Amino acid sequence: MDKYKKKNIKKSFCPVAGKCGGCQLQNMSYERQLAFKQAKVVSLLGKYTHVNDIIGMDNPVKYRNKVQSAFGVTRSGKIISGVYQSSTHNIVSIDSCMLENETADSIVVDIRKLMPSFKLTAYDERRERGFLRHVLIRTGRVSGEVMVVLVTAVQRFPSKNNFIKALLDLHPEITTIVQNINDKFTSMVLGDKQTVLYGNGYITDELCSLTFRISPKSFYQINPEQTQKLYNKAMEFAGLNEDETVLDAYSGIGTIGLCASKSVKNVICVENNPEAVRDAKINAKLNNIENAQFYCMDAGEFMTQLAKENEHVDAVFTDPPRAGCSKEFLNSLCELSPDKVVYISCNPETQARDVFYLTKRGYKVRKIQPFDQFPYTSHIENIVMLSKPKEAKTNE
Ligand code: SAH
């Protein structure tokens, strides 16, 4: 970890750190943050095998390609935008964040400044009244494309065309604008209905020499520089070969499965968000990949079905949300009994729980590689590679 020693970036650089709560490790040098994360992974998983040194960033700021800003009004009626104070619905007003893409931050500020002249109101949660609830911006690191999603409480958009024209005049780099309508009393940002107001309604980006299309509701890793390193390591750990069939579970827009596709015979992806599955299918076409199939289903149910059908799978990549894999998924995974399991996680606590389960069912942990996908926050990304000892396979 010596190479990060000099990255002793100034501590407490953010004036709203205390209120926002997003950067839990704000007071640590970058080197200490990495040591802290390394120690956490060692404490959770170190009993199984050696934990490789965490892979950090050379410049651990401005890495977020997705910016989500909540809009609201103060008691005196002023429009504010920013982040929710941790565990509350109070908006901490900010114009920029050390972790966020700068273009995205400046677009949010300009939207806020433009609103009064178009008589657009911000949503007032207390009164359940008003128009704009959130702005979500996604930027393509390689493509430079920018998507702006305006999340509104109602469909009716006063002065819509003039507002969009004014925003595009200020930010010609915006490639698409989408209106998403969220009329529910919910802490979810995006609602069910959406309309494309400008451009094609999605952005594309490049990862590991492949092109990916990303729609507003599809999951996409927020730190693309680290994601490439993460995927490359996952592929290396899997040690794929051209006769193999690979399953990518919790596959999002198909990034991991499609990265693996060129090294194997066949790829099966399962994901439960229909918008992400639609993107994944298009992504296969965009990259001329013909050996990948996509299923829109609960990963656990899908695994159970595969196990029942006695399907043969050589390697499974699993990349679940923070809650980890379901019991049903893990149980069927053991029945399916692939030689190799590469478990990518954004929450090593649930990962440790699931890895424990797999080790009780005959898997051995071979490699562990933590990543810093989220500098300055306490979040940790981690890959665990498991495989079956040869004897355990033949005994079944
Ligand atoms: N591997 C992808 C996505 C990882 S995020 C990537 O690296 O980009 C986890 C994904 O799991 C999300 O796309 C989410 O929509 C999906 N998901 C959540 N619960 C699921 C379930 N029960 N079954 C299938 N997919 C699920």
Side-chain angles (χ1 to χ4, degrees):
M1 254 172 280
D2 285 353
K3 80 175 237 205
Y4 299 107
K5 261 195 185 124
K6 292 195 187 65
K7 313 271 178 250
N8 204 339
I9 292 190
K10 213 165 65 186
K11 294 183 242 168
S12 299
F13 49 70
C14 177
V16 296
K19 276 195 192 162
C20 159
C23 289
Q24 300 89 351
L25 309 186
Q26 177 86 201
N27 292 319
M28 289 185 192
S29 66
Y30 191 50
E31 188 197 357
R32 272 196 60 210
Q33 293 176 36
L34 293 174
F36 170 83
K37 294 185 182 188
Q38 178 80 15
K40 179 91 194 205
V41 175
V42 169
S43 78
L44 288 166
L45 291 150
K47 63 183 174 208
Y48 297 112
T49 190
H50 168 75
V51 177
N52 293 352
D53 276 357
I54 186 165
I55 296 176
M57 292 186 79
D58 289 338
N59 186 19
V61 290
K62 300 283 171 199
Y63 58 82
R64 278 194 73 99
N65 60 4
K66 173 174 144 181
V67 167
Q68 220 157 257
S69 191
F71 275 65
V73 266
T74 61
R75 283 184 198 279
S76 61
K78 196 176 139 221
I79 298 177
I80 52 168
S81 65
V83 289
Y84 287 123
Q85 186 169 1
S86 61
S87 326
T88 74
H89 262 223
N90 303 330
I91 295 171
V92 182
S93 169
I94 56 162
D95 282 356
S96 72
C97 163
M98 282 304 295
L99 307 188
E100 293 176 353
N101 177 280
E102 274 166 321
T103 306
D105 277 350
S106 71
I107 294 172
V108 171
V109 171
D110 283 328
I111 289 174
R112 194 184 69 221
K113 287 185 181 159
L114 281 175
M115 286 169 70
S117 44
F118 293 91
K119 301 207 165 42
L120 292 175
T121 55
Y123 187 67
D124 181 340
E125 268 193 344
R126 281 172 307 232
R127 299 200 179 106
E128 292 183 48
R129 235 176 28 206
F131 179 66
L132 189 65
R133 296 183 77 156
H134 301 273
V135 171
L136 171 99
I137 297 181
R138 268 181 162 161
T139 49
R141 177 167 163 266
V142 179
S143 67
E145 293 175 21
V146 179
M147 169 165 65
V148 175
V149 184
L150 303 167
V151 184
T152 64
V154 289
Q155 171 122 40
R156 206 181 80 80
F157 193 152
S159 325
K160 181 168 69 190
N161 294 340
N162 290 335
F163 176 78
I164 285 168
K165 188 175 173 310
L167 182 58
L168 289 169
D169 282 347
L170 287 173
H171 290 281
E173 69 277 17
I174 296 174
T175 49
T176 188
I177 304 176
V178 175
Q179 181 186 5
N180 174 286
I181 297 124
N182 186 350
D183 53 10
K184 301 210 170 67
F185 185 74
T186 169
S187 53
M188 299 278 288
V189 172
L190 295 176
D192 295 331
K193 250 173 85 179
Q194 55 195 32
T195 324
V196 178
L197 304 179
Y198 172 76
N200 52 21
Y202 57 84
I203 56 164
T204 54
D205 199 16
E206 272 172 44
L207 271 183
C208 306
S209 316
L210 295 174
T211 304
F212 293 101
R213 156 190 162 141
I214 310 143
S215 295
K217 285 189 180 171
S218 299
F219 176 89
Y220 186 60
Q221 300 278 354
I222 56 101
N223 184 340
E225 184 188 324
Q226 290 298 88
T227 301
Q228 295 216 114
K229 301 181 196 167
L230 179 81
Y231 289 172
N232 287 335
K233 189 55 81 177
M235 297 304 140
E236 180 196 316
F237 278 4
L240 302 170
N241 73 56
E242 56 194 12
D243 313 320
E244 290 181 329
T245 295
V246 163
L247 177 79
D248 176 8
Y250 306 92
S251 53
I253 59 169
T255 43
I256 295 175
L258 295 176
C259 284
S261 67
K262 48 185 183 284
S263 317
V264 299
K265 188 172 80 188
N266 194 29
V267 174
I268 306 164
C269 294
V270 60
E271 157 66 44
N272 72 353
N273 172 355
E275 199 162 291
V277 175
R278 199 185 60 201
D279 284 349
K281 288 181 180 166
I282 293 168
N283 288 333
K285 288 215 177 83
L286 275 178
N287 295 289
N288 301 315
I289 293 169
E290 287 171 357
N291 60 342
Q293 297 92 50
F294 303 90
Y295 297 88
C296 186
M297 243 176 115
D298 170 74
E301 268 175 47
F302 183 75
M303 279 308 250
T304 309
Q305 203 169 298
L306 282 189
K308 262 199 205 132
E309 288 160 7
N310 254 329
E311 203 64 50
H312 177 78
V313 172
D314 299 286
V316 170
F317 290 96
T318 180
D319 184 12
R322 289 185 59 73
C325 300
S326 64
K327 259 272 156 67
E328 184 189 13
F329 178 90
L330 292 172
N331 188 34
S332 303
L333 174 68
C334 292
E335 276 176 38
L336 208 60
S337 193
D339 282 344
K340 301 173 274 190
V341 176
V342 179
Y343 190 145
I344 302 161
S345 166
C346 57
N347 183 356
E349 314 235 353
T350 55
Q351 185 183 37
R353 177 200 67 201
D354 296 349
V355 164
F356 177 71
Y357 182 92
L358 294 175
T359 57
K360 289 282 151 229
R361 301 277 304 262
Y363 279 95
K364 284 240 173 312
V365 175
R366 309 292 182 183
K367 288 170 187 158
I368 303 177
Q369 177 65 66
F371 281 86
D372 195 18
Q373 291 272 95
F374 318 103
Y376 290 92
T377 78
S378 57
H379 299 289
I380 307 172
E381 190 84 12
N382 191 43
I383 310 183
V384 174
M385 195 273 167
L386 307 102
S387 67
K388 287 213 155 169
K390 287 280 175 274
E391 324 81 80
K393 277 283 310 170
T394 43
N395 286 348
E396 270 172 14

